[in-house]
Amino acid sequence: MMREAQFAKAIGNWTAPLPHARMAVYRNNVISGLVNALNVRFPVTGQLVGHDFFAAMARAFAEMNRPASPVLIGYGGAFPDFIRGFAPAAAVPYLGDVAQLENLWWQAYHAAHSDAAPRQEFASIAPAAWGGLRFKFHSSLGLMRSAFAVASIWQAHHDGPGMAEIAIGTPQSALVCRPERHVTVRVISPAAHDFIAPLQQGARLAEAVEQMAVPHPDFDLALQLQGLMGLGIITGFSQ
């Protein structure tokens, strides 16, 4: 008869010998559930490599990465980095970055809702005070840079131009957000990415602008601020 301590050890350590033959069924069911959770979270990643390859890759991940919570919404955050180190996936070098973009989409979809700051609030800010502003952003905001056209690849699987029309090796920056009901994935300029990223981390506006001088000498602050406000993802600000 399997004792409680043996059962606990078998659950806690999937590499431990099975104390009972029926435990194999339990482990297989758990793995299958985790693979399915990854398939739901990373559909484009799965489409790019096919069902069988994705299932094998997801299984390899699941065998080494068990969920920290019984709620599987948060499971799979480390999958993009796993893909980048998964040797059989090396033939699709952009696969890990596509998974990272899908990860941002998933996080945006499940982010808490908050309203954008009314435009009239910005109109009331004195010109001399703008440089000291820190912005608060919608919790769905996600940014990434890639050596590949990851946003275009994602869009190709969501009624965008076909894969044949994409220059896959073209670097892209992407912004993911859900200011309203739907998650949007946008291609943004490298300058926009480098401007928004420090602001999202809590930098003051003047500090973010200062960082733009060398890498982006033609940076247009007014244009970037207008675009940023138009996204509806600034929820507040402080001085």
Side-chain angles (χ1 to χ4, degrees), residues 11 144 170 181 215 218:
I11 293 177
M144 70 171 290
T170 301
R181 297 178 60 183
D218 298 327

Side-chain angles (χ1 to χ4, degrees), residues 118-200:
R119 291 230 175 189
Q120 54 266 32
E121 290 189 13
F122 294 99
S124 66
I125 301 172
W130 273 89
L133 292 183
R134 298 183 192 272
F135 294 111
K136 298 177 183 178
F137 291 95
H138 196 284
S139 59
S140 67
L141 174 62
L143 298 169
M144 70 171 290
R145 297 189 71 170
S146 173
F148 304 96
V150 288
S152 295
I153 293 171
W154 185 89
Q155 291 165 351
H157 291 78
H158 292 83
D159 300 323
M163 288 288 289
E165 301 178 40
I166 300 172
I168 292 176
T170 301
Q172 278 187 348
S173 297
L175 182 150
V176 183
C177 62
R178 199 210 72 229
E180 298 296 338
R181 297 178 60 183
H182 302 289
V183 179
T184 61
V185 175
R186 301 172 182 269
V187 178
I188 59 174
S189 67
H193 174 279
D194 293 350
F195 174 58
I196 299 171
L199 293 176
Q200 186 184 27

Side-chain angles (χ1 to χ4, degrees), residues 37-181:
L38 293 171
N39 187 57
V40 171
R41 185 166 183 166
F42 301 97
V44 175
T45 305
Q47 293 170 32
L48 288 170
V49 295
H51 176 270
D52 292 344
F53 186 96
F54 182 86
M57 181 169 63
R59 185 179 184 91
F61 173 82
E63 288 176 344
M64 295 189 297
N65 297 268
R66 284 168 294 163
S69 167
V71 180
L72 294 183
I73 287 177
Y75 182 67
F79 194 44
D81 284 338
F82 174 84
I83 293 174
R84 294 185 181 106
F86 188 62
V92 191
Y94 50 86
L95 193 65
D97 284 9
V98 173
Q100 181 181 342
L101 183 61
E102 290 200 280
N103 201 40
L104 292 177
W105 188 99
W106 185 264
Q107 292 171 345
Y109 181 81
H110 292 284
H113 175 73
S114 53
D115 294 321
R119 291 230 175 189
Q120 54 266 32
E121 290 189 13
F122 294 99
S124 66
I125 301 172
W130 273 89
L133 292 183
R134 298 183 192 272
F135 294 111
K136 298 177 183 178
F137 291 95
H138 196 284
S139 59
S140 67
L141 174 62
L143 298 169
M144 70 171 290
R145 297 189 71 170
S146 173
F148 304 96
V150 288
S152 295
I153 293 171
W154 185 89
Q155 291 165 351
H157 291 78
H158 292 83
D159 300 323
M163 288 288 289
E165 301 178 40
I166 300 172
I168 292 176
T170 301
Q172 278 187 348
S173 297
L175 182 150
V176 183
C177 62
R178 199 210 72 229
E180 298 296 338
R181 297 178 60 183

